[in-house]
Amino acid sequence: RSPLALLPSESIDRLARIVGAALGKPAFPVTDLAEATDCGGALRVVLADTNAVNETIIIRDSRSEESATSAKTPLDARAYAGVPLGNDSAPSGVLWVLDAEPRDWSERDVQAIKDLAACVSTELHLRRHALHDALTGVPNRSLFLDRLGHAATRARRHKDFRFAVVVLDIDGFKAVNDSLGHGAGDQLLIEVARRLEACVRSEDTVA
């Protein structure tokens, strides 16, 4: 699952409001690119699940800047700024601010977007560590129960939706810890988690 899926809609709405206040122009969040509509001249704020951008991109007018062709935005825009989220070891996506009109981005504008991207990155980091196992990185009990609850609710509302929970146990795990040490046991758990993740679909959960 995308790291951006950890962010609740309230956080994304708040981000758009702050962008609008910082840049002096109304801003709206775009969460569904397929249904994105014209915002009447307002800024559009997009959190894109892509790691193709590894440095800040600033385009003042996409129709006159040659560099605009190498920076693919999730939606058409005349002017835009894109700032990577996360860090080099754990990229999380890109924060895009799109304007339908040419814009002369000031240093203050760019710094404000960078600061907001850093805040989003921090929130993603904290949410991930609060909801994922520190050793294996898979969802912990809290996140598993949350997703299980959502699946059960969906099954009650839609009779054609079905889901299953598979509980696995590792035979002889105690013997590995006792004979090879807890370090080896940890590596075994990590490897099992990776192999299970490779066996399921992106919408499934290994916890």
Side-chain angles (χ1 to χ4, degrees):
R1 287 182 179 235
S2 163
L4 295 176
L6 294 171
L7 288 178
S9 58
E10 297 81 16
S11 294
I12 299 174
D13 291 340
R14 182 175 65 250
L15 173 65
R17 290 195 300 271
I18 297 175
V19 167
L23 302 187
K25 191 174 185 178
F28 293 93
V30 177
T31 55
D32 189 340
L33 299 180
E35 298 181 1
T37 58
D38 183 14
C39 293
L43 299 171
R44 290 176 293 177
V45 179
V46 181
L47 290 175
D49 181 23
T50 176
N51 298 324
V53 175
N54 54 21
E55 61 182 13
T56 299
I57 294 174
I58 302 296
I59 298 297
R60 293 171 173 79
D61 188 343
S62 60
R63 297 180 186 176
S64 62
E65 294 186 50
E66 295 182 1
S67 58
T69 58
S70 62
K72 182 62 176 175
T73 59
L75 295 170
D76 289 335
R78 189 73 181 269
Y80 51 86
V83 179
L85 300 172
N87 53 51
D88 293 338
S89 60
S92 304
V94 181
L95 167 61
W96 291 102
V97 178
L98 314 175
D99 199 333
E101 304 170 347
R103 184 182 182 94
D104 186 17
W105 304 93
S106 67
E107 291 185 10
R108 180 177 176 275
D109 291 342
V110 176
Q111 189 57 53
I113 298 172
K114 287 182 176 180
D115 290 344
L116 289 171
C119 290
V120 173
S121 298
T122 299
E123 182 173 359
L124 285 169
H125 176 78
L126 292 175
R127 288 184 178 276
R128 177 165 184 82
H129 281 266
L131 297 173
H132 290 75
D133 176 62
L135 176 65
T136 62
V138 300
N140 61 16
R141 182 187 301 270
S142 296
L143 183 53
F144 165 72
L145 292 176
D146 178 70
R147 291 182 179 174
L148 179 61
H150 282 293
T153 300
R154 183 178 176 187
R156 286 194 294 269
R157 293 176 177 172
H158 306 281
K159 300 303 181 183
D160 59 339
F161 175 76
R162 296 182 179 181
F163 70 95
V165 177
V166 179
V167 181
L168 302 177
D169 188 24
I170 302 176
D171 290 340
F173 179 69
K174 184 176 183 301
V176 173
N177 273 336
D178 291 344
S179 61
L180 301 176
H182 289 282
D186 288 347
Q187 290 302 312
L188 175 60
L189 289 175
I190 293 171
E191 181 62 22
V192 169
R194 296 292 83 79
R195 293 193 182 192
L196 289 174
E197 288 179 323
C199 294
V200 301
R201 304 167 301 175
S202 60
E203 62 266 32
D204 296 330
T205 295
V206 175

